Amino acid sequence: MKAAKIVMTSLAAASLVTSAALAQQSMSGMVTKIDRLSGTISIQQTQGGTVGASGGAIQEYKVPKGQSLEAFHAGDKVSFTTTDSDGGKTINKLDKQK
């Protein structure tokens, strides 16, 4: 009975850690490239912190088929959320920053 409680407690703790890791994060960055034919967008994440710090790495994201990229252009500053799926990252929400 004690072993079962320990196992259940461990599973509950592991699920909390996993769900926190999979939560969507709101990020911001600058569009560097758009490939409308393949449905991908490359974004360089905004680096927080020290003045003069270089920008973050450029990441390529898949865009769902129903979402249009026509309003976006290279150089646009955007905020976005992503999820990991099918071996790549997919944009869930993409908005221009003002």
Side-chain angles (χ1 to χ4, degrees):
M1 191 69 163
K2 243 183 187 183
K5 282 186 181 182
I6 292 170
V7 169
M8 294 301 285
T9 303
S10 298
L11 288 173
S15 69
L16 286 175
V17 170
T18 303
S19 64
L22 294 177
Q24 294 177 1
Q25 289 184 335
S26 182
M27 297 177 275
S28 62
M30 182 179 69
V31 175
T32 59
K33 181 177 127 184
I34 297 174
D35 187 343
R36 290 179 176 86
L37 295 176
S38 67
T40 60
I41 186 168
S42 296
I43 300 174
Q44 181 175 19
Q45 287 187 353
T46 303
Q47 196 77 346
T50 323
V51 174
S54 62
I58 297 173
Q59 287 270 322
E60 185 173 85
Y61 301 96
K62 296 177 189 174
V63 178
K65 291 186 192 274
Q67 188 170 10
S68 174
L69 292 173
E70 293 303 316
F72 299 96
H73 304 284
D76 286 346
K77 293 187 185 221
V78 295
S79 59
F80 60 101
T81 59
T82 64
T83 55
D84 290 329
S85 63
D86 298 332
K89 293 186 178 189
T90 302
I91 296 276
N92 290 330
K93 184 177 180 185
L94 182 65
D95 296 312
K96 273 189 187 180
Q97 291 180 344
K98 295 181 183 196

